Amino acid sequence: MSKDRGKGRWLDGSELLIYLHGEGIDYNPYAETFNNMAKRLGLRSFGYSNKRRYLKEDVDLAIKKI
């Protein structure tokens, strides 16, 4: 099985911030924590090897709701 399978479907924390910024949604770390921002947007995180990742489809749905 290829490691690239599903590539592009998942975003890690830094990729999520870059993606949101590209969609015109900015995160202010002084106003809220990263976790609170993710909860506010309704994003579920999936853990793997001590890291969190976010399903891009969920992120796109959250952006449409804003």
Side-chain angles (χ1 to χ4, degrees):
M1 192 178 296
S2 172
K3 281 187 173 183
D4 291 337
R5 185 174 182 215
K7 189 175 183 181
R9 285 190 70 199
W10 297 98
L11 300 168
D12 66 20
S14 59
E15 291 170 331
L16 174 63
L17 292 178
I18 293 168
Y19 188 75
L20 290 174
H21 181 72
E23 295 295 321
I25 301 169
D26 288 323
Y27 162 62
N28 181 351
Y30 297 107
E32 64 183 342
T33 65
F34 182 87
N35 290 338
N36 285 343
M37 181 268 306
K39 286 179 187 176
R40 177 174 53 84
L41 294 174
L43 300 177
R44 297 177 297 156
S45 66
F46 299 86
Y48 72 101
S49 69
N50 296 333
K51 294 183 181 180
R52 289 187 216 158
R53 61 185 184 170
Y54 300 86
L55 191 58
K56 191 174 178 187
E57 296 160 9
D58 286 348
V59 176
D60 289 336
L61 286 174
I63 291 170
K64 287 180 183 178
K65 290 180 183 179
I66 296 176

